[in-house]
Amino acid sequence: HRLIPCSGPTFGGIEVTVLGSNFHPSKVYNCVFGDTVSSSTTRWSENTLVCILPPKATAGVVAVTLEGMNVDSGNVPALFTYLDETDRSL
């Protein structure tokens, strides 16, 4: 699957779109960023989920997985990069 965007702020709260396949309407999915489950995951279609990015204490790269989805062991999880935007000025 693919993530749009593939990076975001450590304070979380933004929408992250997950593009994939076989998201069945009768199943419940949860996006998991590293070890943290998203507060909300909404199925938009068979190939699209929208997740709310959970906050993370530090910047860095985490694997994104889906609870409720059968994943082949050969698949590599998508990666999401948390960015520390606290020192950005306008």
Side-chain angles (χ1 to χ4, degrees):
H1 56 270
R2 182 174 165 215
L3 304 174
I4 302 170
C6 60
S7 63
T10 55
F11 55 79
I14 67 167
E15 288 186 343
V16 177
T17 300
V18 178
L19 300 178
S21 61
N22 300 320
F23 299 141
H24 196 274
S26 66
K27 291 190 114 184
V28 175
Y29 299 99
N30 290 307
C31 294
V32 182
F33 291 79
D35 295 328
T36 308
V37 178
S38 174
S39 62
S40 172
T41 300
T42 304
R43 180 190 175 276
W44 278 23
S45 70
E46 182 179 299
N47 61 1
T48 307
L49 301 175
V50 175
C51 309
I52 301 299
L53 179 66
K56 187 172 184 308
T58 58
V61 177
V62 296
V64 179
T65 57
L66 295 174
E67 286 182 351
M69 185 77 175
N70 296 333
V71 179
D72 295 333
S73 59
N75 286 351
V76 177
L79 299 178
F80 186 87
T81 304
Y82 278 94
L83 305 172
D84 183 0
E85 297 187 350
T86 58
D87 62 351
R88 284 185 147 187
S89 57
L90 296 175

